[in-house]
Amino acid sequence: MRLGGLAAASVGIVAVAGAAAGGPPGRWVQAASMPEARTEVAVAALNGRIFVVGGFGGSGALLEYDTAADRWRQRAAPPANLNHAGAVVLGDRLYVVGGYTESWQPVASTLIYDPGADQWRTGPPLPTARGALAVAVLDGRIHAVGGAGPGRRNTAAHEVYDPAADRWTGLAPLPTPRDHHAAAVVDGRLYVVGGRVDGSYARNLAVNEEYDPRTNRWRARAPLPTPRSGIAAVTLADKVFVFGGEAPAGTFDQVEAYEPSTDAWTAWAPMPTARHGLGAAVVGRRIFVISGGPTPGGSSSRANEVLMP
C-alpha cells in the first residue's frame, strides 16, 4: 500500500508503467483523463464505450468514454445524483442500482439508461434499499449483493433482477454481510470479494465468497491477499482482477487476480495511481480503471489508467 498521488494528465494513450523483468505481469498506460474529478462512481462498458455515473464531485452528468477515439463526452444526467451505486450492462441498456443520496440516505432505485436515445427511465425498486453494494450479471440477470442500509449497517441481502419478468426477487443471503466490496463472474459463478464492516475502512476484509446459481448456495474460497475495501473488480481471461482500495493509513495500488480453477491469487503490476472509490471496465483485452480518490475519505481524481495484461 502507498499513499496515492494523481499522475499528471496526458493527451492520448501513453505508457506510464510496465512490468519489470521478473516482476509481476501487466503493463499500464495512461488514457485521456476524465473531464472532471469524481470518486465513489459506478462504471460499466457497452460496445466499446465506458459509462461513468454518479459519485462525489462534478456535474452529476453521465460521462461516456469512447475507448477507440480516447475521447470523453457528457450525456443525459440520471434522474438522481447518487454515489456508491452499482452499474452493469444487460443487453443494450445500462442499469444503475441502489446507492446513496447526497445526504447519505440509501435508495432502492433501479435506473435504466438507453444510450441510443440518451434517455433514462425508472425500473422496479430493489426490495432492500442500500448503498456501497456489489452488482454483476450472471446468466442474463442482475445480482445485487450486500451493501449498507440505514445507519450504515450492513445487509446480507442478495437480490436478482430478471429482465423478462421485470422484477427483483431474493436469493440465498451473502454469508458475510459487508459494504464497499466488489463482485465478478467467472464460468457461471459469482465471486464477491473484500469489503468492510458497517462502513468502517478500519475493519477491512479479505473474504472471498462464491455463489453457485444452480444450487443457490455460497462457499468460502481463497481470501484476498490484501484485505481492503472501496475496490473495483472485473473479469478477464477467467480471472477476477481486484483494484485499489483504502485503509486508515492510505490508499492501495495493489492489483491482485483470482483464478477460480486453481483457487489461487496472483499479484499483478500495481496501479500508477493508488486510489479507492474507483470503477473498472473491460474493453477487448484492456482493463480501464477510472476515477477514485488518491487519499482516504472524500478525495477525487480524473484518473483513467489502462492495464494491458
Side-chain angles (χ1 to χ4, degrees):
M1 179 177 71
R2 62 178 174 87
L3 289 176
L6 180 60
S10 63
V11 178
I13 297 180
V14 297
V16 293
R27 178 174 63 91
W28 286 91
V29 299
Q30 174 103 29
S33 299
M34 286 177 57
E36 55 190 30
R38 295 189 188 182
T39 191
E40 305 298 356
V41 295
V43 172
L46 174 64
N47 296 331
R49 298 173 187 266
I50 297 174
F51 296 92
V52 180
V53 62
F56 293 118
S59 63
L62 176 68
L63 298 178
E64 179 192 86
Y65 173 64
D66 184 333
T67 61
D70 191 33
R71 184 179 300 123
W72 291 88
R73 67 171 173 166
Q74 188 169 296
R75 307 303 305 274
N81 188 16
L82 303 172
N83 58 79
H84 292 84
V88 293
V89 164
L90 182 60
D92 60 355
R93 299 289 189 270
L94 172 71
Y95 290 76
V96 178
V97 178
Y100 296 120
T101 66
E102 292 177 326
S103 60
W104 289 96
Q105 295 302 307
V107 301
S109 60
T110 303
L111 306 178
I112 305 171
Y113 176 71
D114 178 349
D118 192 26
Q119 292 180 344
W120 291 88
R121 69 178 178 88
T122 300
L126 279 164
T128 307
R130 48 207 158 113
L133 70 168
V135 295
V137 173
L138 174 59
D139 296 334
R141 302 194 298 171
I142 300 172
H143 289 250
V145 187
R152 309 289 293 277
R153 301 293 293 178
N154 287 142
T155 175
H158 173 200
E159 295 156 351
V160 64
Y161 173 73
D162 183 345
D166 192 31
R167 68 180 181 186
W168 291 91
T169 55
L171 293 174
L174 183 66
T176 306
R178 46 200 151 121
D179 57 89
H180 287 82
H181 49 307
V185 171
V186 177
D187 196 23
R189 298 189 181 194
L190 176 68
Y191 296 88
V192 179
V193 181
R196 64 180 70 160
V197 177
D198 293 336
S200 172
Y201 55 69
R203 303 173 69 187
N204 282 343
L205 301 172
V207 178
N208 174 22
E209 292 169 331
E210 174 194 84
Y211 174 74
D212 186 343
R214 296 168 295 183
T215 61
N216 192 31
R217 292 181 179 177
W218 294 87
R219 66 169 175 166
R221 303 294 280 165
L224 182 65
T226 308
R228 44 200 166 117
S229 61
I231 56 179
V234 296
T235 300
L236 181 63
D238 293 330
K239 298 179 180 67
V240 177
F241 286 79
V242 178
F243 300 90
E246 68 178 330
T251 52
F252 292 87
D253 61 3
Q254 272 87 343
V255 179
E256 293 163 333
Y258 174 69
E259 191 164 357
S261 63
T262 60
D263 192 31
W265 290 87
T266 304
W268 283 65
M271 298 190 302
T273 307
R275 49 205 150 106
H276 71 99
L278 65 173
V282 173
V283 176
R285 289 191 55 81
R286 298 177 294 170
I287 304 174
F288 292 79
V289 184
I290 297 173
S291 186
T295 59
S299 66
S300 60
S301 78
R302 299 171 58 212
N304 181 13
E305 297 167 346
V306 189
L307 178 63
M308 316 284 281

